[in-house]
Amino acid sequence: MTDESRIWTAALIVVGDEILSGRTQDKNIAQVATWLGVQGIRLREVRVVPDVMEAIVEAVNTLRARNDYLFTTGGIGPTHDDITVDAVAAALGVDVVIHPAARAILENYYATRGGVNEARLRMARVPDGASLIENRISGAPGIHVENVFLMAGVPHITAQMLDALTGTLEGGLPLVSTTIGCWVGESEIADLLRETEKAYAGVQIGSYPFFREGRVGANFVIRSTSESELAECATTLSEGLAALGREPVAGGI
Amino acid sequence: MTDESRIWTAALIVVGDEILSGRTQDKNIAQVATWLGVQGIRLREVRVVPDVMEAIVEAVNTLRARNDYLFTTGGIGPTHDDITVDAVAAALGVDVVIHPAARAILENYYATRGGVNEARLRMARVPDGASLIENRISGAPGIHVENVFLMAGVPHITAQMLDALTGTLEGGLPLVSTTIGCWVGESEIADLLRETEKAYAGVQIGSYPFFREGRVGANFVIRSTSESELAECATTLSEGLAALGREPVAGGI
């Protein structure tokens, strides 16, 4: 049974020198964030750390202690710079072991692809006590141990693992949102935004300005766990914009 | 004079509920990372935090203490949820003041756009002792205080601010990189990668697998501050791949 008043939180650690060098544009933050929202879990913080043992261990210890769930992406492949499993095991104070089912999955997957070698067998290494997260694409599974979920760095493989986890984690009421756009400088309606947010206790309004076609505009994203409060707040904000002579655009611009 | 042996580091704090909700795909991490690389500064860690005072203050205090430079993106606009200036001032233990030059910039910018109001004037607020970072697009400047650089959340405005800072920060030798691609499963050549990296003390090799056109491949990114060591390592790796019957592709796939 879900406690609807409790807020469930998660953190994400993105492991990877390729993100910190600017070579690769991260896509996992948005993907994991969106997926968590659907599970009724809020992503509260993200850290991007290098492929360095102490950096990963520090982040794992800090973030898993103050969130319900911790996700990691990256660093679970077969090569020498893949050290996320070792770092999570060190943070939890457990050994790294070969998971028999992971080994069987890899042996099966590589049976027609040159067989399992030492490097490939690295992908069957897990922190002691872990269970596996299915991955239909590349064989190598994700890993679940205590409140930590280790996933791939390659975004479409991460997507598979998230799909396998869908509906299995306890969460609260999902946060619902609605967007109202307006061709207005956000600085012109800052008072309206602040007062509207204040009038609805369970609602957050984010203001996201843009500059397009030579004009300034903004999208106002209203978030709440209550559909009805969300609708009322959206109506109030739209009426407030109209009263200032600014046309609200439902759904955003 | 630049000390060529010293490694200069930076951290980045991305402030924004819109990133943590998954609504907005972050583009500032890659942009700031790439820019820092050119300045000879390594981005060592990134945190994405919500628009919550304590979360920003904690991240500012931790990251600025252990890096040469700290950058922030987001939360310096005119609305009620823009609290990065207040959070950085709190972290540094200084007051928030109106910066006269920032006020003049805003008054000039808004002279033909409805004038400065209270919300717009928020964008002239800075931690006491700060200087400004020019922004030709929207008037509102970035802020430099001690070793902290506060920039916009909107990526093309951040790009302007980075441009204004180019060449003004002390850094070390820039990290140079070269990429070798190969149609090979990274698990097949893990030994070669590890041994090649070990043979060159000042070199890092990252392995970035992909799956395209129904085949597995990987790009191997070699990084060093030494052009000559980089070239030698690239030659060794290419020869090693060729010796295994795998064609190396200079520049990556």
Side-chain angles (χ1 to χ4, degrees):
Chain A
M1 201 174 71
T2 299
D3 174 358
E4 298 194 347
S5 65
R6 182 178 179 320
I7 292 172
W8 296 77
T9 69
L12 169 65
I13 300 173
V14 175
V15 180
D17 289 343
E18 73 277 20
I19 308 292
L20 292 174
S21 73
R23 179 175 182 276
T24 300
Q25 163 72 56
D26 168 74
K27 291 180 179 149
N28 281 324
I29 296 175
Q31 159 167 274
V32 171
T34 304
W35 180 85
L36 284 168
V38 176
Q39 316 303 310
I41 299 163
R42 290 196 204 169
L43 180 59
R44 203 163 58 176
E45 45 190 330
V46 179
R47 294 192 185 177
V48 186
V49 300
D51 302 321
V52 171
M53 182 67 75
E54 303 74 46
I56 307 172
V57 169
E58 181 202 88
V60 168
N61 280 330
T62 303
L63 298 183
R64 85 179 202 95
R66 65 187 186 196
N67 290 281
D68 295 303
Y69 305 108
L70 172 63
F71 289 77
T72 72
T73 60
I76 62 167
T79 62
H80 65 291
D81 56 348
D82 291 306
I83 59 170
T84 304
V85 167
D86 302 83
V88 169
L92 301 182
V94 301
D95 290 334
V96 173
V97 298
I98 296 283
H99 193 292
R103 181 185 194 131
I105 290 168
L106 293 168
E107 283 172 346
N108 182 49
Y109 181 82
Y110 285 112
T112 57
R113 294 175 175 89
V116 167
N117 58 22
E118 196 186 336
R120 288 169 174 173
L121 198 55
R122 272 182 71 82
M123 296 188 284
R125 298 168 73 248
V126 302
D128 200 4
S131 59
L132 305 180
I133 304 168
E134 190 184 2
N135 156 27
R136 290 187 204 90
I137 294 181
S138 69
I143 298 162
H144 170 204
V145 55
E146 302 195 22
N147 66 339
V148 186
F149 298 81
L150 289 74
M151 297 184 300
V154 179
H156 73 279
I157 300 183
T158 305
Q160 279 276 323
M161 293 176 178
L162 290 173
D163 192 55
L165 286 175
T166 295
T168 67
L169 272 58
E170 189 171 13
L173 280 180
L175 210 55
V176 286
S177 73
T178 189
T179 302
I180 295 170
C182 192
W183 290 104
V184 65
E186 62 172 353
S187 58
E188 291 175 50
I189 44 78
D191 288 346
L192 172 65
L193 287 181
R194 191 175 53 246
E195 282 156 23
T196 307
E197 190 180 63
K198 211 185 286 174
Y200 295 91
V203 161
Q204 280 187 312
I205 306 180
S207 169
Y208 305 111
F210 56 77
F211 181 75
R212 287 184 212 151
E213 306 160 27
R215 302 159 70 193
V216 294
N219 284 307
F220 308 111
V221 180
I222 311 172
R223 295 191 184 89
S224 173
T225 55
S226 158
E227 289 272 9
S228 61
E229 202 173 31
L230 187 74
E232 283 176 41
C233 179
T235 302
T236 301
L237 180 59
S238 296
E239 288 171 356
L241 289 167
L244 294 170
R246 300 293 188 164
E247 190 188 354
V249 180
I253 296 170
Chain B
M1 201 174 75
T2 299
D3 174 357
E4 298 194 346
S5 65
R6 182 179 181 317
I7 293 172
W8 296 78
T9 69
L12 169 64
I13 300 173
V14 175
V15 179
D17 289 343
E18 73 277 21
I19 308 292
L20 292 173
S21 72
R23 177 174 183 276
T24 300
Q25 162 72 55
D26 168 75
K27 290 181 180 149
N28 281 325
I29 297 174
Q31 159 167 274
V32 171
T34 304
W35 180 86
L36 283 168
V38 176
Q39 315 304 309
I41 299 163
R42 291 195 204 170
L43 180 59
R44 204 164 56 175
E45 44 191 329
V46 179
R47 296 191 185 176
V48 186
V49 299
D51 302 321
V52 170
M53 182 66 74
E54 305 74 48
I56 306 173
V57 169
E58 180 201 91
V60 168
N61 280 331
T62 303
L63 298 183
R64 87 180 201 94
R66 66 186 186 197
N67 290 281
D68 295 303
Y69 304 108
L70 172 63
F71 289 77
T72 71
T73 61
I76 61 168
T79 63
H80 65 291
D81 57 347
D82 291 307
I83 59 170
T84 304
V85 167
D86 303 83
V88 169
L92 300 183
V94 301
D95 290 335
V96 173
V97 298
I98 296 282
H99 193 292
R103 181 185 195 131
I105 289 168
L106 293 169
E107 283 171 347
N108 183 50
Y109 182 82
Y110 286 112
T112 57
R113 294 175 174 88
V116 167
N117 58 22
E118 195 186 337
R120 288 169 174 173
L121 198 56
R122 273 181 69 83
M123 295 188 284
R125 298 167 74 249
V126 302
D128 201 2
S131 59
L132 304 180
I133 304 168
E134 190 184 0
N135 155 27
R136 290 186 204 91
I137 294 182
S138 70
I143 298 163
H144 170 203
V145 56
E146 301 193 21
N147 65 339
V148 186
F149 298 81
L150 289 74
M151 298 184 298
V154 179
H156 73 280
I157 300 182
T158 305
Q160 279 277 322
M161 294 176 177
L162 290 173
D163 193 53
L165 285 175
T166 296
T168 67
L169 271 60
E170 189 172 12
L173 280 180
L175 211 55
V176 286
S177 72
T178 189
T179 302
I180 294 169
C182 192
W183 290 104
V184 65
E186 62 173 355
S187 59
E188 292 174 50
I189 45 77
D191 287 346
L192 172 66
L193 286 181
R194 191 175 53 247
E195 282 157 24
T196 306
E197 190 180 64
K198 210 184 285 174
Y200 296 90
V203 161
Q204 280 188 312
I205 306 179
S207 170
Y208 305 111
F210 56 77
F211 181 75
R212 287 183 213 152
E213 305 159 28
R215 302 159 70 193
V216 293
N219 284 307
F220 308 111
V221 179
I222 310 172
R223 294 191 185 88
S224 173
T225 56
S226 158
E227 290 273 9
S228 60
E229 202 173 31
L230 188 73
E232 283 175 41
C233 179
T235 301
T236 301
L237 180 59
S238 297
E239 288 172 355
L241 289 168
L244 293 170
R246 299 294 187 162
E247 192 188 354
V249 180
I253 297 171

mmCIF file of all heavy atoms in Angstrom, chain A residues 122-164:
data_model
loop_
_atom_site.group_PDB
_atom_site.id
_atom_site.type_symbol
_atom_site.label_atom_id
_atom_site.label_comp_id
_atom_site.label_asym_id
_atom_site.label_seq_id
_atom_site.Cartn_x
_atom_site.Cartn_y
_atom_site.Cartn_z
ATOM 1 N N ARG A 122 34.043 -9.802 -16.603
ATOM 2 C CA ARG A 122 33.961 -8.652 -15.686
ATOM 3 C C ARG A 122 32.515 -8.180 -15.528
ATOM 4 O O ARG A 122 32.125 -7.678 -14.482
ATOM 5 C CB ARG A 122 34.778 -7.469 -16.227
ATOM 6 C CG ARG A 122 36.244 -7.448 -15.827
ATOM 7 C CD ARG A 122 36.949 -6.215 -16.382
ATOM 8 N NE ARG A 122 36.539 -4.962 -15.732
ATOM 9 C CZ ARG A 122 37.018 -4.523 -14.590
ATOM 10 N NH1 ARG A 122 37.919 -5.218 -13.936
ATOM 11 N NH2 ARG A 122 36.607 -3.366 -14.089
ATOM 12 N N MET A 123 31.721 -8.340 -16.584
ATOM 13 C CA MET A 123 30.343 -7.851 -16.536
ATOM 14 C C MET A 123 29.419 -8.753 -15.727
ATOM 15 O O MET A 123 28.237 -8.452 -15.571
ATOM 16 C CB MET A 123 29.822 -7.640 -17.954
ATOM 17 C CG MET A 123 30.598 -6.546 -18.688
ATOM 18 S SD MET A 123 29.874 -6.092 -20.274
ATOM 19 C CE MET A 123 30.389 -7.493 -21.282
ATOM 20 N N ALA A 124 29.948 -9.875 -15.203
ATOM 21 C CA ALA A 124 29.168 -10.720 -14.287
ATOM 22 C C ALA A 124 29.535 -10.426 -12.834
ATOM 23 O O ALA A 124 28.967 -11.007 -11.914
ATOM 24 C CB ALA A 124 29.413 -12.201 -14.599
ATOM 25 N N ARG A 125 30.470 -9.495 -12.628
ATOM 26 C CA ARG A 125 30.895 -9.131 -11.265
ATOM 27 C C ARG A 125 29.857 -8.202 -10.635
ATOM 28 O O ARG A 125 29.434 -7.237 -11.266
ATOM 29 C CB ARG A 125 32.263 -8.452 -11.293
ATOM 30 C CG ARG A 125 33.369 -9.341 -11.842
ATOM 31 C CD ARG A 125 34.636 -8.557 -12.132
ATOM 32 N NE ARG A 125 35.354 -8.156 -10.945
ATOM 33 C CZ ARG A 125 35.484 -6.905 -10.529
ATOM 34 N NH1 ARG A 125 34.947 -5.914 -11.206
ATOM 35 N NH2 ARG A 125 36.159 -6.625 -9.432
ATOM 36 N N VAL A 126 29.459 -8.515 -9.415
ATOM 37 C CA VAL A 126 28.455 -7.692 -8.709
ATOM 38 C C VAL A 126 28.866 -7.541 -7.244
ATOM 39 O O VAL A 126 29.603 -8.372 -6.720
ATOM 40 C CB VAL A 126 27.046 -8.338 -8.759
ATOM 41 C CG1 VAL A 126 26.578 -8.546 -10.204
ATOM 42 C CG2 VAL A 126 27.012 -9.651 -7.989
ATOM 43 N N PRO A 127 28.381 -6.503 -6.572
ATOM 44 C CA PRO A 127 28.550 -6.460 -5.111
ATOM 45 C C PRO A 127 27.802 -7.639 -4.492
ATOM 46 O O PRO A 127 26.697 -7.977 -4.940
ATOM 47 C CB PRO A 127 27.898 -5.128 -4.722
ATOM 48 C CG PRO A 127 27.890 -4.306 -5.984
ATOM 49 C CD PRO A 127 27.705 -5.297 -7.088
ATOM 50 N N ASP A 128 28.385 -8.278 -3.486
ATOM 51 C CA ASP A 128 27.782 -9.462 -2.869
ATOM 52 C C ASP A 128 26.370 -9.118 -2.369
ATOM 53 O O ASP A 128 26.178 -8.085 -1.730
ATOM 54 C CB ASP A 128 28.672 -9.931 -1.703
ATOM 55 C CG ASP A 128 28.404 -11.378 -1.336
ATOM 56 O OD1 ASP A 128 27.587 -12.029 -2.031
ATOM 57 O OD2 ASP A 128 29.013 -11.860 -0.362
ATOM 58 N N GLY A 129 25.419 -9.995 -2.697
ATOM 59 C CA GLY A 129 24.037 -9.774 -2.278
ATOM 60 C C GLY A 129 23.176 -9.128 -3.340
ATOM 61 O O GLY A 129 21.984 -8.881 -3.123
ATOM 62 N N ALA A 130 23.756 -8.832 -4.495
ATOM 63 C CA ALA A 130 23.013 -8.120 -5.548
ATOM 64 C C ALA A 130 22.081 -9.036 -6.325
ATOM 65 O O ALA A 130 22.297 -10.239 -6.403
ATOM 66 C CB ALA A 130 24.002 -7.460 -6.513
ATOM 67 N N SER A 131 21.052 -8.438 -6.911
ATOM 68 C CA SER A 131 20.236 -9.127 -7.919
ATOM 69 C C SER A 131 20.416 -8.401 -9.250
ATOM 70 O O SER A 131 21.029 -7.332 -9.303
ATOM 71 C CB SER A 131 18.769 -9.156 -7.494
ATOM 72 O OG SER A 131 18.286 -7.839 -7.329
ATOM 73 N N LEU A 132 19.885 -8.998 -10.321
ATOM 74 C CA LEU A 132 20.155 -8.485 -11.663
ATOM 75 C C LEU A 132 18.973 -7.691 -12.216
ATOM 76 O O LEU A 132 17.829 -7.938 -11.865
ATOM 77 C CB LEU A 132 20.482 -9.639 -12.611
ATOM 78 C CG LEU A 132 21.637 -10.542 -12.159
ATOM 79 C CD1 LEU A 132 21.873 -11.648 -13.188
ATOM 80 C CD2 LEU A 132 22.905 -9.731 -11.930
ATOM 81 N N ILE A 133 19.277 -6.750 -13.095
ATOM 82 C CA ILE A 133 18.249 -6.003 -13.834
ATOM 83 C C ILE A 133 18.396 -6.383 -15.304
ATOM 84 O O ILE A 133 19.466 -6.219 -15.887
ATOM 85 C CB ILE A 133 18.444 -4.477 -13.686
ATOM 86 C CG1 ILE A 133 18.469 -4.076 -12.209
ATOM 87 C CG2 ILE A 133 17.346 -3.720 -14.445
ATOM 88 C CD1 ILE A 133 18.939 -2.629 -11.976
ATOM 89 N N GLU A 134 17.318 -6.879 -15.873
ATOM 90 C CA GLU A 134 17.376 -7.429 -17.225
ATOM 91 C C GLU A 134 17.742 -6.375 -18.278
ATOM 92 O O GLU A 134 17.346 -5.217 -18.181
ATOM 93 C CB GLU A 134 16.004 -8.028 -17.581
ATOM 94 C CG GLU A 134 16.020 -8.830 -18.863
ATOM 95 C CD GLU A 134 14.615 -9.311 -19.225
ATOM 96 O OE1 GLU A 134 13.655 -8.986 -18.492
ATOM 97 O OE2 GLU A 134 14.488 -10.000 -20.245
ATOM 98 N N ASN A 135 18.487 -6.804 -19.270
ATOM 99 C CA ASN A 135 18.867 -5.972 -20.408
ATOM 100 C C ASN A 135 18.818 -6.835 -21.651
ATOM 101 O O ASN A 135 19.673 -7.691 -21.854
ATOM 102 C CB ASN A 135 20.271 -5.408 -20.161
ATOM 103 C CG ASN A 135 20.988 -5.047 -21.440
ATOM 104 O OD1 ASN A 135 20.358 -4.739 -22.453
ATOM 105 N ND2 ASN A 135 22.303 -5.099 -21.405
ATOM 106 N N ARG A 136 17.812 -6.630 -22.487
ATOM 107 C CA ARG A 136 17.627 -7.502 -23.645
ATOM 108 C C ARG A 136 18.575 -7.173 -24.797
ATOM 109 O O ARG A 136 18.740 -7.945 -25.719
ATOM 110 C CB ARG A 136 16.185 -7.388 -24.159
ATOM 111 C CG ARG A 136 15.174 -8.002 -23.213
ATOM 112 C CD ARG A 136 13.783 -8.038 -23.826
ATOM 113 N NE ARG A 136 12.783 -8.072 -22.767
ATOM 114 C CZ ARG A 136 12.240 -6.984 -22.227
ATOM 115 N NH1 ARG A 136 12.596 -5.776 -22.637
ATOM 116 N NH2 ARG A 136 11.338 -7.091 -21.267
ATOM 117 N N ILE A 137 19.193 -5.998 -24.760
ATOM 118 C CA ILE A 137 19.999 -5.573 -25.914
ATOM 119 C C ILE A 137 21.378 -6.204 -25.970
ATOM 120 O O ILE A 137 21.753 -6.824 -26.955
ATOM 121 C CB ILE A 137 20.161 -4.030 -25.932
ATOM 122 C CG1 ILE A 137 18.804 -3.374 -26.171
ATOM 123 C CG2 ILE A 137 21.150 -3.605 -27.025
ATOM 124 C CD1 ILE A 137 18.868 -1.863 -26.230
ATOM 125 N N SER A 138 22.153 -6.030 -24.904
ATOM 126 C CA SER A 138 23.556 -6.424 -24.999
ATOM 127 C C SER A 138 23.927 -7.551 -24.049
ATOM 128 O O SER A 138 25.097 -7.858 -23.882
ATOM 129 C CB SER A 138 24.459 -5.221 -24.716
ATOM 130 O OG SER A 138 24.374 -4.854 -23.349
ATOM 131 N N GLY A 139 22.938 -8.161 -23.419
ATOM 132 C CA GLY A 139 23.266 -9.265 -22.523
ATOM 133 C C GLY A 139 23.639 -8.810 -21.132
ATOM 134 O O GLY A 139 22.979 -9.167 -20.161
ATOM 135 N N ALA A 140 24.660 -7.977 -21.013
ATOM 136 C CA ALA A 140 25.157 -7.569 -19.697
ATOM 137 C C ALA A 140 24.042 -6.926 -18.877
ATOM 138 O O ALA A 140 23.467 -5.924 -19.285
ATOM 139 C CB ALA A 140 26.318 -6.593 -19.859
ATOM 140 N N PRO A 141 23.747 -7.496 -17.718
ATOM 141 C CA PRO A 141 22.620 -6.978 -16.927
ATOM 142 C C PRO A 141 22.991 -5.764 -16.084
ATOM 143 O O PRO A 141 24.156 -5.509 -15.806
ATOM 144 C CB PRO A 141 22.275 -8.159 -16.023
ATOM 145 C CG PRO A 141 23.563 -8.894 -15.850
ATOM 146 C CD PRO A 141 24.343 -8.702 -17.126
ATOM 147 N N GLY A 142 21.969 -5.004 -15.669
ATOM 148 C CA GLY A 142 22.136 -4.013 -14.617
ATOM 149 C C GLY A 142 22.137 -4.721 -13.268
ATOM 150 O O GLY A 142 21.922 -5.936 -13.192
ATOM 151 N N ILE A 143 22.386 -3.974 -12.209
ATOM 152 C CA ILE A 143 22.606 -4.574 -10.891
ATOM 153 C C ILE A 143 21.819 -3.804 -9.840
ATOM 154 O O ILE A 143 21.834 -2.574 -9.819
ATOM 155 C CB ILE A 143 24.114 -4.534 -10.543
ATOM 156 C CG1 ILE A 143 24.916 -5.361 -11.554
ATOM 157 C CG2 ILE A 143 24.355 -5.020 -9.125
ATOM 158 C CD1 ILE A 143 26.404 -5.055 -11.568
ATOM 159 N N HIS A 144 21.138 -4.558 -8.972
ATOM 160 C CA HIS A 144 20.398 -3.956 -7.864
ATOM 161 C C HIS A 144 20.958 -4.489 -6.556
ATOM 162 O O HIS A 144 20.973 -5.707 -6.349
ATOM 163 C CB HIS A 144 18.902 -4.293 -7.996
ATOM 164 C CG HIS A 144 18.107 -3.913 -6.791
ATOM 165 N ND1 HIS A 144 16.916 -4.506 -6.441
ATOM 166 C CD2 HIS A 144 18.348 -2.975 -5.830
ATOM 167 C CE1 HIS A 144 16.460 -3.956 -5.319
ATOM 168 N NE2 HIS A 144 17.310 -3.032 -4.941
ATOM 169 N N VAL A 145 21.434 -3.600 -5.694
ATOM 170 C CA VAL A 145 21.956 -4.029 -4.393
ATOM 171 C C VAL A 145 21.538 -2.995 -3.350
ATOM 172 O O VAL A 145 21.758 -1.801 -3.526
ATOM 173 C CB VAL A 145 23.490 -4.230 -4.444
ATOM 174 C CG1 VAL A 145 24.226 -2.991 -4.930
ATOM 175 C CG2 VAL A 145 24.024 -4.707 -3.101
ATOM 176 N N GLU A 146 20.907 -3.474 -2.290
ATOM 177 C CA GLU A 146 20.301 -2.597 -1.279
ATOM 178 C C GLU A 146 19.450 -1.532 -1.993
ATOM 179 O O GLU A 146 18.607 -1.898 -2.807
ATOM 180 C CB GLU A 146 21.393 -2.015 -0.358
ATOM 181 C CG GLU A 146 22.173 -3.156 0.315
ATOM 182 C CD GLU A 146 23.020 -2.716 1.499
ATOM 183 O OE1 GLU A 146 22.749 -1.665 2.088
ATOM 184 O OE2 GLU A 146 23.955 -3.461 1.858
ATOM 185 N N ASN A 147 19.704 -0.243 -1.732
ATOM 186 C CA ASN A 147 18.873 0.771 -2.417
ATOM 187 C C ASN A 147 19.590 1.398 -3.614
ATOM 188 O O ASN A 147 19.281 2.510 -4.019
ATOM 189 C CB ASN A 147 18.414 1.850 -1.437
ATOM 190 C CG ASN A 147 19.558 2.691 -0.886
ATOM 191 O OD1 ASN A 147 20.710 2.251 -0.910
ATOM 192 N ND2 ASN A 147 19.251 3.885 -0.412
ATOM 193 N N VAL A 148 20.550 0.660 -4.174
ATOM 194 C CA VAL A 148 21.352 1.183 -5.278
ATOM 195 C C VAL A 148 21.077 0.389 -6.554
ATOM 196 O O VAL A 148 21.005 -0.853 -6.524
ATOM 197 C CB VAL A 148 22.858 1.124 -4.949
ATOM 198 C CG1 VAL A 148 23.680 1.803 -6.054
ATOM 199 C CG2 VAL A 148 23.145 1.768 -3.597
ATOM 200 N N PHE A 149 20.909 1.104 -7.674
ATOM 201 C CA PHE A 149 20.620 0.495 -8.969
ATOM 202 C C PHE A 149 21.695 0.930 -9.951
ATOM 203 O O PHE A 149 21.815 2.121 -10.261
ATOM 204 C CB PHE A 149 19.237 0.932 -9.456
ATOM 205 C CG PHE A 149 18.127 0.489 -8.551
ATOM 206 C CD1 PHE A 149 17.832 1.198 -7.392
ATOM 207 C CD2 PHE A 149 17.411 -0.675 -8.826
ATOM 208 C CE1 PHE A 149 16.824 0.766 -6.533
ATOM 209 C CE2 PHE A 149 16.411 -1.113 -7.973
ATOM 210 C CZ PHE A 149 16.115 -0.386 -6.820
ATOM 211 N N LEU A 150 22.491 -0.035 -10.426
ATOM 212 C CA LEU A 150 23.592 0.274 -11.332
ATOM 213 C C LEU A 150 23.156 -0.001 -12.767
ATOM 214 O O LEU A 150 22.793 -1.132 -13.097
ATOM 215 C CB LEU A 150 24.820 -0.582 -11.016
ATOM 216 C CG LEU A 150 25.583 -0.272 -9.726
ATOM 217 C CD1 LEU A 150 24.817 -0.757 -8.512
ATOM 218 C CD2 LEU A 150 26.965 -0.916 -9.761
ATOM 219 N N MET A 151 23.231 1.008 -13.598
ATOM 220 C CA MET A 151 22.765 0.865 -14.978
ATOM 221 C C MET A 151 23.869 1.251 -15.957
ATOM 222 O O MET A 151 24.891 1.821 -15.587
ATOM 223 C CB MET A 151 21.537 1.721 -15.181
ATOM 224 C CG MET A 151 20.388 1.246 -14.286
ATOM 225 S SD MET A 151 18.895 2.181 -14.595
ATOM 226 C CE MET A 151 19.504 3.797 -14.184
ATOM 227 N N ALA A 152 23.597 0.935 -17.213
ATOM 228 C CA ALA A 152 24.582 1.169 -18.271
ATOM 229 C C ALA A 152 24.769 2.665 -18.516
ATOM 230 O O ALA A 152 23.957 3.492 -18.111
ATOM 231 C CB ALA A 152 24.120 0.494 -19.540
ATOM 232 N N GLY A 153 25.857 3.009 -19.211
ATOM 233 C CA GLY A 153 26.079 4.386 -19.622
ATOM 234 C C GLY A 153 25.443 4.700 -20.970
ATOM 235 O O GLY A 153 25.053 5.840 -21.227
ATOM 236 N N VAL A 154 25.329 3.682 -21.813
ATOM 237 C CA VAL A 154 24.749 3.886 -23.151
ATOM 238 C C VAL A 154 23.237 4.078 -22.998
ATOM 239 O O VAL A 154 22.547 3.206 -22.475
ATOM 240 C CB VAL A 154 25.049 2.672 -24.061
ATOM 241 C CG1 VAL A 154 24.440 2.861 -25.439
ATOM 242 C CG2 VAL A 154 26.560 2.443 -24.164
ATOM 243 N N PRO A 155 22.713 5.244 -23.424
ATOM 244 C CA PRO A 155 21.334 5.599 -23.070
ATOM 245 C C PRO A 155 20.270 4.588 -23.494
ATOM 246 O O PRO A 155 19.325 4.355 -22.739
ATOM 247 C CB PRO A 155 21.133 6.950 -23.789
ATOM 248 C CG PRO A 155 22.505 7.546 -23.841
ATOM 249 C CD PRO A 155 23.437 6.378 -24.061
ATOM 250 N N HIS A 156 20.408 3.959 -24.673
ATOM 251 C CA HIS A 156 19.313 3.053 -25.057
ATOM 252 C C HIS A 156 19.368 1.738 -24.285
ATOM 253 O O HIS A 156 18.359 1.059 -24.148
ATOM 254 C CB HIS A 156 19.243 2.840 -26.576
ATOM 255 C CG HIS A 156 20.323 1.995 -27.143
ATOM 256 N ND1 HIS A 156 21.573 2.476 -27.410
ATOM 257 C CD2 HIS A 156 20.342 0.696 -27.495
ATOM 258 C CE1 HIS A 156 22.314 1.512 -27.912
ATOM 259 N NE2 HIS A 156 21.594 0.418 -27.976
ATOM 260 N N ILE A 157 20.527 1.406 -23.729
ATOM 261 C CA ILE A 157 20.590 0.231 -22.845
ATOM 262 C C ILE A 157 20.020 0.595 -21.477
ATOM 263 O O ILE A 157 19.276 -0.171 -20.866
ATOM 264 C CB ILE A 157 22.041 -0.297 -22.740
ATOM 265 C CG1 ILE A 157 22.534 -0.704 -24.142
ATOM 266 C CG2 ILE A 157 22.113 -1.467 -21.769
ATOM 267 C CD1 ILE A 157 23.930 -1.305 -24.159
ATOM 268 N N THR A 158 20.347 1.795 -21.002
ATOM 269 C CA THR A 158 19.741 2.283 -19.752
ATOM 270 C C THR A 158 18.215 2.269 -19.863
ATOM 271 O O THR A 158 17.520 1.873 -18.915
ATOM 272 C CB THR A 158 20.214 3.717 -19.448
ATOM 273 O OG1 THR A 158 21.637 3.731 -19.438
ATOM 274 C CG2 THR A 158 19.687 4.201 -18.118
ATOM 275 N N ALA A 159 17.702 2.681 -21.012
ATOM 276 C CA ALA A 159 16.249 2.708 -21.225
ATOM 277 C C ALA A 159 15.644 1.315 -21.032
ATOM 278 O O ALA A 159 14.590 1.151 -20.406
ATOM 279 C CB ALA A 159 15.932 3.245 -22.617
ATOM 280 N N GLN A 160 16.320 0.294 -21.556
ATOM 281 C CA GLN A 160 15.871 -1.092 -21.384
ATOM 282 C C GLN A 160 15.824 -1.486 -19.915
ATOM 283 O O GLN A 160 14.913 -2.169 -19.466
ATOM 284 C CB GLN A 160 16.875 -2.035 -22.070
ATOM 285 C CG GLN A 160 16.696 -2.148 -23.544
ATOM 286 C CD GLN A 160 15.634 -3.168 -23.865
ATOM 287 O OE1 GLN A 160 15.526 -4.186 -23.188
ATOM 288 N NE2 GLN A 160 14.825 -2.878 -24.847
ATOM 289 N N MET A 161 16.860 -1.103 -19.196
ATOM 290 C CA MET A 161 16.927 -1.480 -17.774
ATOM 291 C C MET A 161 15.832 -0.762 -16.981
ATOM 292 O O MET A 161 15.216 -1.344 -16.098
ATOM 293 C CB MET A 161 18.317 -1.143 -17.221
ATOM 294 C CG MET A 161 19.416 -2.009 -17.843
ATOM 295 S SD MET A 161 21.066 -1.518 -17.263
ATOM 296 C CE MET A 161 22.089 -2.757 -18.110
ATOM 297 N N LEU A 162 15.593 0.509 -17.291
ATOM 298 C CA LEU A 162 14.515 1.240 -16.628
ATOM 299 C C LEU A 162 13.182 0.569 -16.926
ATOM 300 O O LEU A 162 12.328 0.427 -16.051
ATOM 301 C CB LEU A 162 14.484 2.698 -17.097
ATOM 302 C CG LEU A 162 15.646 3.572 -16.630
ATOM 303 C CD1 LEU A 162 15.576 4.941 -17.296
ATOM 304 C CD2 LEU A 162 15.637 3.734 -15.104
ATOM 305 N N ASP A 163 13.017 0.140 -18.172
ATOM 306 C CA ASP A 163 11.788 -0.539 -18.560
ATOM 307 C C ASP A 163 11.584 -1.802 -17.709
ATOM 308 O O ASP A 163 10.481 -2.075 -17.234
ATOM 309 C CB ASP A 163 11.864 -0.885 -20.049
ATOM 310 C CG ASP A 163 10.526 -1.321 -20.583
ATOM 311 O OD1 ASP A 163 9.561 -0.550 -20.434
ATOM 312 O OD2 ASP A 163 10.440 -2.439 -21.116
ATOM 313 N N ALA A 164 12.672 -2.527 -17.492
ATOM 314 C CA ALA A 164 12.587 -3.752 -16.679
ATOM 315 C C ALA A 164 12.220 -3.434 -15.227
ATOM 316 O O ALA A 164 11.615 -4.255 -14.535
ATOM 317 C CB ALA A 164 13.916 -4.513 -16.744
#
